[in-house]
Amino acid sequence: MSNAITIRSMSRSFGRSAALDDITLTVPEGSICGLLGRNGAGKTTIMSILAGQDRPSSGTAEVFGERPFENESILSRISFVRDNQKYPDNYRVHHVLRIAPEFAPNWNAQVAAELVDGFRIPLKTPIKKFSRGQLSAIAIVLGLASRAPLTLLDEPYLGLDVTARALFHDMLLRDYTAHPRTVVLSTHLIEESEALFDHVLIIDRGQVRVACASDETADLAFTVSGSVDAVKLVTADRATLLSHTVGPLRSATISGAVDDDLRSLARTHGVTIAPATLQELVAAFGADTPRPELLTKGARA
Amino acid sequence: MFVGEGPIFQQLAAKIADDIVGGTYAEETAVPSATDFAVFHQVNPATASKGVNMLVELGVLYKKRGIGMFVATGARDLLLRQRREEFRAQYMRPLLREASVLDIPASELHSMIDDEEQDLA
């Protein structure tokens, strides 16, 4: 399978701060890829560059084998709606729906109509008066109805109610199976969206921490929990990503796969081992390196 | 939505297998397509295909070209045999472990099982 996205040694700095620091990654064509990480990790910067709205300071980003910046033929194959997308002051939904096909050659009006209806997007209210959830809804309409070969969805869930989130998943999967494309979706609602992904990227501080197929994430980290002493003993020579202590109990997220040695050690000392969930993995990679005991207590933000 | 143990494709395969054992899908009838499962359970279509293919490899489902996925003859027996093999590890051992933690002697455990059986009958 060829790659929809190929990023090589890409950095992007704003003044002195490095938003992206030498990242290299690929996303295969036809994948639904979760782009995960904390606020400020660099998710939106990556999407902006892929959508040709920004350029790397160094390195390259290619979409379908070409650099997207000022590249009309590639840009017509990309849909990107920023989480803070601005619309002209007097715009209402019908203005957006009328102009959108100009930018999206595969535009499907039926998908758009079904979503506008399902999301209950108000037709007569100017978009500038929309609530956060309504803005997210219109962004999803644009993203899905574009049927763009590369669809970038930046925080599509912000403010969306639970019915709308289910509708989004439903429409995404139905339309994706009928018209396969590559979707990159950034979100903090990991548990709710992880089943959608076949690939996962975890970014932290402008660097790629995890890039793999989603059924491989179970081998990347595990949690060990039990009494403080036992957990410390069992995890002594392992890389602790995140730990959390309450009274006599300790839980630690450890990088790597569980092996037989560890299993028997855990049995001997009465600690529980469980594979880390994707959510725990993202929290762990976003945590600062564990510091002395007192400081790690609050680290599970 | 799947939030339990193990990869989602395994959970989906287990769910379909449960429904075959339970009689939801009779032998030689069609099961929904991987795409239908993906949309219904809101999981990635590749994940759903992987779950369905797992059952194909086991010989539980088979593909009729151009028509869809069907439950194989003997699938229910196959699954029942497999689950009986797992019964000891999945149910007996945890039961005995917990009984030992609670200091329940074997004789009491036996009579508890007899009691429960009578209640069920």
Side-chain angles (χ1 to χ4, degrees):
Chain A
M1 204 180 342
S2 60
N3 289 321
I5 298 170
T6 307
I7 292 177
R8 289 190 201 93
S9 309
M10 181 171 82
S11 298
R12 174 71 172 106
S13 18
F14 298 100
R16 277 189 187 177
S17 74
L20 298 175
D21 180 12
D22 193 25
I23 66 168
T24 293
L25 62 86
T26 56
V27 175
E29 217 171 312
S31 133
I32 301 182
C33 175
L35 180 59
L36 311 171
R38 295 184 60 177
N39 293 322
K43 304 186 294 294
T44 303
T45 307
I46 292 177
M47 288 194 174
S48 297
I49 292 172
L50 290 173
Q53 297 185 3
D54 191 7
R55 276 195 292 182
S57 307
S58 62
T60 56
E62 287 177 358
V63 174
F64 304 119
E66 291 180 45
R67 297 189 194 193
F69 191 78
E70 290 185 345
N71 183 336
E72 208 174 308
S73 75
I74 285 297
L75 292 179
S76 69
R77 301 170 70 189
I78 300 173
S79 160
F80 175 48
V81 183
R82 308 181 76 96
D83 67 337
N84 58 353
Q85 181 69 42
K86 295 283 181 282
Y87 301 87
D89 270 359
N90 59 343
Y91 260 41
R92 285 179 279 161
V93 168
H94 69 89
H95 294 107
V96 175
L97 296 184
R98 200 168 53 207
I99 202 165
E102 299 289 327
F103 299 95
N106 300 338
W107 181 261
N108 186 282
Q110 202 184 329
V111 169
E114 202 177 318
L115 286 170
V116 166
D117 194 46
F119 286 140
R120 299 189 185 165
I121 299 177
L123 301 177
K124 292 182 177 162
T125 314
I127 293 178
K128 69 172 178 175
K129 293 195 174 163
F130 271 19
S131 71
R132 181 61 255 184
Q134 289 166 336
L135 286 172
S136 295
I138 192 83
I140 290 172
V141 172
L142 292 173
L144 293 188
S146 291
R147 284 191 177 158
L150 175 61
T151 303
L152 305 167
L153 298 166
D154 192 11
E155 293 284 356
Y157 299 98
L158 288 181
L160 271 195
D161 64 68
V162 62
T163 315
R165 298 203 295 272
L167 174 67
F168 164 54
H169 285 176
D170 193 73
M171 182 59 99
L172 169 66
L173 291 170
R174 272 195 291 139
D175 209 52
Y176 165 88
T177 43
H179 302 273
R181 67 197 89 161
T182 308
V183 178
V184 178
L185 191 163
S186 77
T187 182
H188 297 300
L189 287 187
I190 296 160
E191 287 194 341
E192 193 164 315
S193 53
E194 68 170 299
L196 300 175
F197 308 142
D198 50 32
H199 277 76
V200 173
L201 292 167
I202 301 179
I203 310 289
D204 192 52
R205 294 186 190 275
Q207 296 182 328
V208 180
R209 303 301 301 270
V210 170
C212 66
S214 49
D215 50 11
E216 289 165 4
T217 59
D219 295 330
L220 295 177
F222 55 92
T223 61
V224 179
S225 47
S227 73
V228 174
D229 291 343
V231 169
K232 280 188 177 166
L233 198 86
V234 170
T235 62
D237 52 351
R238 312 258 170 183
T240 302
L241 295 170
L242 174 66
S243 67
H244 184 56
T245 305
V246 179
L249 298 176
R250 182 179 175 88
S251 148
T253 306
I254 309 295
S255 108
V258 183
D259 50 58
D260 289 341
D261 278 0
L262 195 90
R263 265 195 209 95
S264 72
L265 202 60
R267 249 194 311 275
T268 318
H269 295 280
V271 300
T272 310
I273 295 184
T277 63
L278 186 56
Q279 174 136 309
E280 286 168 331
L281 206 59
V282 175
F285 281 111
D288 298 311
T289 323
R291 283 163 296 189
E293 205 48 35
L294 269 174
L295 290 172
T296 55
K297 280 190 179 173
R300 211 174 182 174
Chain B
M1 191 162 295
F2 295 92
V3 286
E5 287 273 298
I8 293 165
F9 73 91
Q10 277 177 13
Q11 293 185 49
L12 177 65
K15 169 101 185 63
I16 300 169
D18 272 353
D19 286 342
I20 292 170
V21 170
T24 307
Y25 308 121
E27 291 179 1
E28 297 305 326
T29 64
V31 298
S33 69
T35 305
D36 291 337
F37 279 123
V39 174
F40 184 78
H41 294 294
Q42 303 208 330
V43 301
N44 187 285
T47 310
S49 298
K50 216 167 154 184
V52 169
N53 286 336
M54 208 177 135
L55 294 176
V56 172
E57 275 163 34
L58 273 176
V60 170
L61 298 179
Y62 71 97
K63 191 175 192 167
K64 278 193 191 172
R65 273 187 90 101
I67 306 178
M69 249 355 135
F70 282 71
V71 181
T73 300
R76 193 164 175 274
D77 276 347
L78 183 79
L79 289 169
L80 281 176
R81 217 175 320 134
Q82 196 188 30
R83 281 171 63 161
R84 282 203 191 99
E85 281 166 23
E86 290 164 2
F87 183 74
R88 269 172 182 265
Q90 282 199 354
Y91 296 91
M92 296 300 284
R93 276 176 218 147
L95 178 82
L96 291 171
R97 217 176 297 136
E98 182 72 2
S100 127
V101 169
L102 300 178
D103 275 335
I104 299 172
S107 57
E108 197 180 332
L109 199 59
H110 292 159
S111 60
M112 279 165 94
I113 291 171
D114 291 340
D115 286 354
E116 285 294 324
E117 227 174 8
Q118 279 185 348
D119 284 356
L120 280 176

